[in-house]
Amino acid sequence: FPEMLSNPKLILVQGTLNVVLKQNVTLSCLSESGSPPVRYTLFKHNQQVSALNRSDSSPALFTLTISSASDTGEYKCKAEYNISSGGKYSNSLSLTLFEPISKPVLSSPTSHAKKGQNVTLSCLSENGSLPIRYLFFKGTQNISPQKTMQKREAAVIFLFIDSLSDFGTYKCKANNSFPNNSKYSNGFNFTLAEERSHSQPLIISLGLILLLLIIGFALAIPFLIIPLYKASE
């Protein structure tokens, strides 16, 4: 009778658990006690990925190519004798996809502002592994603490337009754990909203009154001149 199999050990022998697209990863599965031949099967989320038979005490090596996000997740392996209906399962290993971020988009609900107004700026990268860290700039000056977003949602800051100097160019920067992958957004500018002067309605009203007086005086001239002319005859 074959020696009883021990629970196999699943270990990473090539690559990293934090993977990127097109990366190769090799996993090793081995029961330290047991009599060959042994059949090793690799599973991902309880779905069979591959199977290998070993006629000696060497480990089964499974090489994976990460072609999409569906290739990541939890892996386990199973060791069993060909003549056996049972088997032993290993520990699990989880592969996590690291995806570079896309260029963030900086936007605001309004592009027009005036002095004394509160405005908001939103920065969002549509793609990239979470969490994503955001920084906001005006020109080259950082204007906010770093905002770390654990969900796929925009980082938002609130600004108070205090003077004309606040109408410069704003940008944001996004990065995640993917190495050397910081990206800057488009530039965004607020334009100064035209403020109607409080004196304009008064000036218009005075102009209309003056125009009406001139018209009234012009209409009254014949009635003033004719009596004077008759009186002088």
Side-chain angles (χ1 to χ4, degrees):
F1 292 96
E3 182 183 355
M4 182 176 291
L5 281 169
S6 62
N7 287 85
K9 290 184 179 179
L10 184 66
I11 61 173
L12 177 76
V13 294
Q14 181 186 358
T16 59
L17 293 178
N18 294 322
V19 297
V20 297
L21 293 178
K22 300 181 180 179
Q23 178 181 336
N24 289 331
V25 173
T26 301
L27 303 178
S28 167
C29 184
L30 177 64
S31 288
E32 293 183 347
S33 63
S35 302
V38 178
R39 180 177 176 83
Y40 293 98
T41 307
L42 184 68
F43 294 88
K44 184 177 80 70
H45 297 308
N46 299 320
Q47 298 237 342
Q48 181 175 327
V49 176
S50 182
L52 294 171
N53 292 318
R54 282 288 174 262
S55 58
D56 54 23
S57 299
S58 63
L61 299 178
F62 300 97
T63 298
L64 308 171
T65 299
I66 308 303
S67 57
S68 70
S70 63
D71 295 322
T72 61
E74 185 180 88
Y75 286 84
K76 284 186 177 183
C77 71
K78 179 183 179 183
E80 59 187 334
Y81 290 122
N82 290 333
I83 61 174
S84 171
S85 59
K88 296 289 184 70
Y89 284 90
S90 73
N91 57 295
S92 62
L93 289 179
S94 291
L95 301 181
T96 302
L97 180 65
F98 267 12
E99 184 183 9
I101 56 172
S102 57
K103 179 179 178 179
V105 175
L106 185 65
S107 62
S108 176
T110 178
S111 59
H112 301 285
K114 58 186 178 182
K115 288 189 289 183
Q117 181 178 343
N118 290 308
V119 294
T120 61
L121 282 173
S122 301
C123 185
L124 176 64
S125 285
E126 292 285 354
N127 299 302
S129 303
L130 297 170
I132 298 178
R133 298 174 290 273
Y134 295 95
L135 283 173
F136 291 82
F137 297 85
K138 179 179 172 294
T140 58
Q141 181 180 2
N142 180 15
I143 59 172
S144 75
Q146 178 176 280
K147 292 184 176 290
T148 301
M149 309 305 293
Q150 303 290 343
K151 298 180 180 179
R152 187 77 58 193
E153 57 188 19
V156 179
I157 62 168
F158 300 90
L159 301 173
F160 179 71
I161 303 298
D162 188 43
S163 65
L164 291 176
S165 63
D166 295 322
F167 288 92
T169 300
Y170 293 87
K171 285 189 176 184
C172 66
K173 181 177 76 170
N175 64 70
N176 61 4
S177 298
F178 197 91
N180 303 317
N181 188 46
S182 294
K183 291 186 179 177
Y184 284 87
S185 72
N186 53 297
F188 186 91
N189 290 77
F190 291 104
T191 56
L192 180 63
E194 293 184 5
E195 299 184 39
R196 291 188 62 185
S197 172
H198 295 295
S199 62
Q200 282 184 343
L202 179 61
I203 294 173
I204 294 173
S205 298
L206 291 175
L208 289 174
I209 292 172
L210 181 60
L211 179 61
L212 290 173
L213 288 175
I214 293 173
I215 293 173
F217 183 73
L219 293 174
I221 287 176
F223 297 99
L224 294 174
I225 294 178
I226 292 172
L228 291 173
Y229 178 76
K230 288 183 177 180
S232 64
E233 287 181 349

